[in-house]
């Protein structure tokens, strides 16, 4: 029985730990030391733009951090370093809304992401 639990746990961990290693992924994190939105696929450069809107839930104030324009790289992000404060406060102090634009030739695809927590596995591993 312990072997089966270990095997199932290992398969789950391996599948969740490889998100950006095998495909383009887009995610946001909030209340996690940094507040951020990131698009990435390891070692596969793409032309992308990321905008990350941060809402301070205590007073409703908003501000936006972005990648500064389209960037061709394997990882593009809008990060506000050290803004997230303590990890996973209850209730969440910050909400993060991400806008991810991927440009291929003249075609632009938009993906949205949203976070109120510090999920390390949601799109990161």
């Amino acid at each position: 029985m312990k072997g089966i639990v270990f095997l199932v746990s290992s398969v789950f961990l391996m599948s969740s730990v490889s998100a950006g290693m095998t495909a383009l992924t887009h995610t946001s994190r909030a209340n996690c030391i940094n507040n951020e939105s990131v698009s990435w696929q390891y070692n596969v450069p793409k032309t992308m733009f990321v905008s990350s809107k941060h809402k301070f839930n205590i007073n409703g104030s908003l501000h936006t951090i972005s990648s500064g324009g389209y960037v061709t790289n394997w990882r593009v992000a809008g990060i506000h370093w050290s803004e997230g404060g303590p990890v996973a406060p209850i209730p969440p102090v910050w909400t993060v809304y991400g806008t991810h634009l991927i440009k291929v030739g003249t075609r632009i695809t938009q993906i949205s992401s949203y976070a109120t927590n510090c999920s390390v596995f949601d799109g990161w591993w």
Side-chain angles (χ1 to χ4, degrees):
M1 182 65 174
K2 286 182 184 179
I4 292 172
V5 170
F6 176 76
L7 178 63
V8 170
S9 298
S10 297
V11 168
F12 173 75
L13 183 60
M14 286 173 17
S15 66
S16 64
V17 172
S18 63
M21 300 300 280
T22 59
L24 182 60
T25 187
H26 315 281
T27 193
S28 292
R29 291 195 307 174
N31 304 296
C32 196
I33 301 174
N34 304 322
N35 286 330
E36 58 195 356
S37 298
V38 180
S39 291
W40 72 287
Q41 181 176 1
Y42 180 71
N43 212 24
V44 180
K46 298 189 183 305
T47 302
M48 300 180 282
F49 170 81
V50 176
S51 175
S52 190
K53 186 182 292 186
H54 305 166
K55 178 182 176 187
F56 189 54
N57 296 327
I58 293 172
N59 65 13
S61 64
L62 291 167
H63 67 273
T64 302
I65 304 290
S66 78
S67 57
Y70 280 96
V71 177
T72 301
N73 202 336
W74 65 270
R75 182 181 180 280
V76 177
I79 302 174
H80 194 152
W81 300 101
S82 302
E83 178 184 62
V87 174
I90 305 294
V93 177
W94 292 95
T95 301
V96 174
Y97 305 91
T99 301
H100 311 260
L101 303 176
I102 304 91
K103 186 175 182 182
V104 178
T106 59
R107 182 173 173 222
I108 297 173
T109 302
Q110 179 176 329
I111 307 291
S112 296
S113 59
Y114 168 86
T116 58
N117 63 19
C118 180
S119 177
V120 173
F121 293 105
D122 183 21
W124 288 92
W125 299 105

